[in-house]
Amino acid sequence: MPSETPTSPVELDAYRADADRFIAELDEEYYLHYAGLKDRLDLEAIYERHAMLTELETVQAIGASVNGDRRTRELWHFGCDGYIGKLTREHAEKEAALEAELEVTVDGETIPFRMLRPTMANEPDRGRREKLDRAMWEATEEHLNPVYFESIEVVRGALPQLGASTYVELYERFGLELRNLARQCESFLDSTEQLYEDTVDRATRELLGLSLDELQRWDLQRMIRSPQWDEGFPGDKMVPALKATLADLGIDLDSQENIKLDIEQRPQKTPRAFCSPIEVPDKVMLVIQPIGGADDWRAFFHEAGHAEHFGNTSRDLAMEEKRLGDVAVTEGWAMLMQHLTDEPAWLTRKLDFPRPDEYAAEGMLWLLFFVRRYSAKLLYELEFHSADDISGMSKRYAELLGDALKFEIAEANYLADMDSGFYVTSYLRSWAFESQLRDHLRERFGNDWFARREAGSLLQELWAEGQRPTADELLKDVSGSEIEMSAVGDRVRERLS
């Protein structure tokens, strides 16, 4: 149980400063590994240098110091995450090493594990996509799931020491309103089910010649890849389009020396764009291995939203307000930038795009798909982390997500498809936050708000707040609205109808 001896203000300041360095070093290590600049993810030395942060007694003492103070609660949240991270550090290193080293052979071709999804997405032959899919999940079940399972068991065993009987209880103490969000997700799934079935069935018939009943998960990889739009989203125009978009908002990316673009091709570089805010706001890495295509553009603009948020965060904020806080805030800014790429007015202005309304409708289809997927994920994770016995949860995973998405789900993904700390809630709330904020920007600045310097000034003003306000507080302050998942449904219906 938590210590009854709280930490003093001086001790909290020392802890805060050490935590700042710890996060910076972790972010840099993850950047070096996933950017393909370092073969192995080496976390042990970092945890050893900052061992005090994750000592159980220290974390318990910070928990005893909270007393309703948000910043101290954020430090306690960080400390608990760090303590759990220390216990599962070796598992994280092993998982990363396995992902980097694993290879599978399909039809005589050897493919790195991390390249299976993009290979599947780029494969026009349905039979070969199925082989790639099955090889990926067989490798996951054989090599990765034993490590995932052991890591989860370690976490479950540590919860009583943090004063919680379940993972759900612990994160509700950090302020996550899991049950309320779950109820909104259930309502969202119910209210959008017919729209989803009708729209996906129409899209699969047009794009793949398949009905929704015939659709398989390996077909989705190809659909999301959207190869029919490749000509409109060339890899060499991604960075210029981002720079031009920011310039219209009054932001010169080239003069932002604190935001560094890493676009070099490297064999071990992860194919997915990511952002590493190593020093907030002074060293923010925006990483991409440009492939081209709609999905690549979405990912790049998403991570650019993170980069601008962290790169514009005020230096005067406390560490907790720059690095911790409500992650739905930075995810909301990332979503705002991402969804420019399926905004008809933006497509016409920046890319002279053919059939922008048709493409935008497809973008809303994928928004509907992912919000339904993550809604089901939250419901699954709540069940998983409340269960006494998790050995049979793979079938429940496939059942919940299959009911939401209407095709067969790989049971082998039941452990890998969970981010720590209920991060799923940050994505869900960010989609609602972005939908409602976008409506406000359109009302205030017009449909071409993304080309207005006044809008850019407002964004920079809000970015400067870092993560001091929650997404709910920020939206309330700007628009007077409460975050509601139903706003996503309204946005999707506006375009799809």
Side-chain angles (χ1 to χ4, degrees):
M1 295 295 295
S3 166
E4 295 182 359
T5 305
T7 53
S8 69
V10 173
E11 290 170 323
L12 283 174
D13 284 342
Y15 186 89
R16 183 175 290 116
D18 198 25
D20 183 67
R21 293 302 84 213
F22 173 75
I23 297 171
E25 291 173 28
L26 275 184
D27 280 345
E28 185 159 30
E29 184 68 16
Y30 279 106
Y31 161 67
L32 292 172
H33 175 69
Y34 287 104
L37 293 166
K38 189 174 181 181
D39 290 338
R40 298 189 68 85
L41 184 67
D42 182 13
L43 305 179
E44 183 176 0
I46 298 172
Y47 275 90
E48 286 181 352
R49 280 196 296 275
H50 304 277
M52 179 273 293
L53 294 174
T54 55
E55 289 177 356
L56 180 59
E57 294 78 8
T58 303
V59 175
Q60 291 173 334
I62 293 174
S65 304
V66 174
N67 292 327
D69 178 68
R70 180 186 292 180
R71 285 175 55 185
T72 308
R73 186 180 69 185
E74 290 296 340
L75 287 180
W76 179 48
H77 184 172
F78 163 81
C80 289
D81 283 347
Y83 176 67
I84 290 171
K86 178 179 67 175
L87 296 179
T88 58
R89 182 191 67 230
E90 292 182 4
H91 301 88
E93 290 175 349
K94 189 172 182 179
E95 289 161 15
L98 282 169
E99 281 193 4
E101 296 165 2
L102 269 177
E103 295 178 333
V104 304
T105 301
V106 177
D107 292 336
E109 180 186 359
T110 300
I111 304 167
F113 183 84
R114 284 180 177 167
M115 290 304 296
L116 280 168
R117 288 184 189 273
T119 301
M120 202 183 315
N122 285 295
E123 177 54 62
D125 183 81
R126 193 183 188 208
R128 181 167 166 78
R129 288 201 302 271
E130 180 179 356
K131 291 179 182 178
L132 290 164
D133 175 89
R134 296 197 184 282
M136 178 172 67
W137 297 122
E138 286 170 5
T140 298
E141 185 65 45
E142 179 181 356
H143 299 285
L144 292 169
N145 276 356
V147 184
Y148 291 139
F149 192 89
E150 186 176 314
S151 176
I152 288 167
E153 288 292 279
V154 169
V155 173
R156 288 164 68 90
L159 291 171
Q161 297 172 308
L162 299 174
S165 59
T166 68
Y167 202 67
V168 174
E169 180 187 343
L170 179 64
Y171 279 84
E172 286 180 331
R173 291 185 180 181
F174 297 147
L176 273 65
E177 296 185 5
L178 299 172
R179 312 289 180 177
N180 176 55
L181 185 58
R183 285 191 292 271
Q184 290 194 45
C185 287
E186 289 174 332
S187 177
F188 180 85
L189 288 169
D190 289 342
S191 66
T192 61
E193 181 157 6
Q194 192 63 54
L195 175 65
Y196 174 81
E197 290 181 356
D198 292 345
T199 309
V200 174
D201 184 71
R202 185 166 57 248
T204 56
R205 289 178 187 276
E206 292 176 356
L207 299 175
L208 300 175
L210 303 169
S211 69
L212 177 57
D213 291 338
E214 297 171 304
L215 186 69
Q216 299 290 343
R217 58 181 179 266
W218 47 85
D219 300 317
L220 256 294
Q221 294 295 328
R222 182 66 172 168
M223 285 183 68
I224 293 173
R225 167 69 175 78
S226 301
Q228 72 274 20
W229 299 106
D230 278 357
E231 187 175 346
F233 292 101
D236 61 352
K237 289 189 177 180
M238 288 172 60
V239 174
L242 174 64
K243 290 182 178 180
T245 299
L246 292 173
D248 284 348
L249 290 166
I251 301 166
D252 182 2
L253 182 59
D254 288 329
S255 70
Q256 291 180 296
E257 296 181 359
N258 57 328
I259 299 177
K260 304 180 188 300
L261 280 176
D262 180 344
I263 59 174
E264 292 182 22
Q265 300 278 345
R266 303 185 191 99
Q268 291 302 316
K269 192 177 191 180
T270 182
R272 194 73 173 172
F274 69 95
C275 172
S276 282
I278 297 170
E279 301 288 354
V280 181
D282 297 316
K283 184 180 180 182
V284 179
M285 305 301 299
L286 177 55
V287 186
I288 182 69
Q289 185 154 267
I291 298 171
D295 192 44
D296 209 26
W297 278 61
R298 293 184 200 112
F300 179 55
F301 271 70
H302 181 99
E303 299 304 327
H306 284 306
E308 287 298 329
H309 174 220
F310 289 120
N312 281 278
T313 293
S314 171
R315 291 183 179 83
D316 297 331
L317 294 177
M319 185 280 290
E320 301 94 313
E321 298 163 339
K322 290 190 290 187
R323 293 195 180 273
L324 306 179
D326 182 6
V327 187
V329 173
T330 190
E331 290 297 347
W333 297 126
M335 295 297 180
L336 188 69
M337 289 295 294
Q338 173 186 328
H339 285 298
L340 285 178
T341 65
D342 50 38
E343 181 72 45
W346 183 88
L347 290 166
T348 300
R349 181 185 290 262
K350 287 289 171 275
L351 292 175
D352 191 23
F353 198 84
R355 310 192 313 279
D357 290 314
E358 183 181 334
Y359 177 76
E362 186 176 315
M364 288 301 97
L365 165 61
W366 293 123
L367 176 61
L368 178 59
F369 170 85
F370 280 110
V371 178
R372 286 183 63 87
R373 186 182 192 284
Y374 274 70
S375 292
K377 254 170 61 74
L378 174 58
L379 299 179
Y380 166 69
E381 290 184 22
L382 285 171
E383 283 193 28
F384 182 97
H385 289 301
S386 300
D388 293 330
D389 180 8
I390 62 173
S391 60
M393 290 302 294
S394 61
K395 294 189 183 302
R396 186 59 177 150
Y397 168 77
E399 179 183 355
L400 281 169
L401 271 78
D403 185 57
L405 303 179
K406 311 306 177 186
F407 57 83
E408 185 180 355
I409 303 297
E411 291 185 12
N413 200 27
Y414 82 112
L415 297 176
D417 195 19
M418 289 195 298
D419 296 313
S420 63
F422 286 104
Y423 204 96
V424 59
T425 64
S426 298
Y427 284 126
L428 288 164
R429 292 172 58 245
S430 74
W431 277 311
F433 170 81
E434 186 271 340
S435 292
Q436 293 169 269
L437 182 64
R438 170 183 170 271
D439 286 344
H440 174 76
L441 292 171
R442 291 170 70 190
E443 290 172 6
R444 184 167 174 181
F445 301 109
N447 286 341
D448 62 346
W449 63 266
F450 50 82
R452 302 284 296 277
R453 286 179 174 257
E454 305 97 309
S457 296
L458 174 61
L459 292 179
Q460 288 176 292
E461 179 184 329
L462 297 174
W463 288 337
E465 290 292 313
Q467 294 187 171
R468 173 165 56 188
T470 65
D472 304 77
E473 292 168 343
L474 195 153
L475 183 66
K476 183 75 171 178
D477 182 56
V478 173
S479 70
S481 303
E482 304 284 345
I483 287 182
E484 293 287 347
M485 290 301 301
S486 59
V488 183
D490 293 340
R491 177 179 184 178
V492 168
R493 288 187 193 90
E494 174 192 338
R495 181 61 60 187
L496 293 182
S497 62

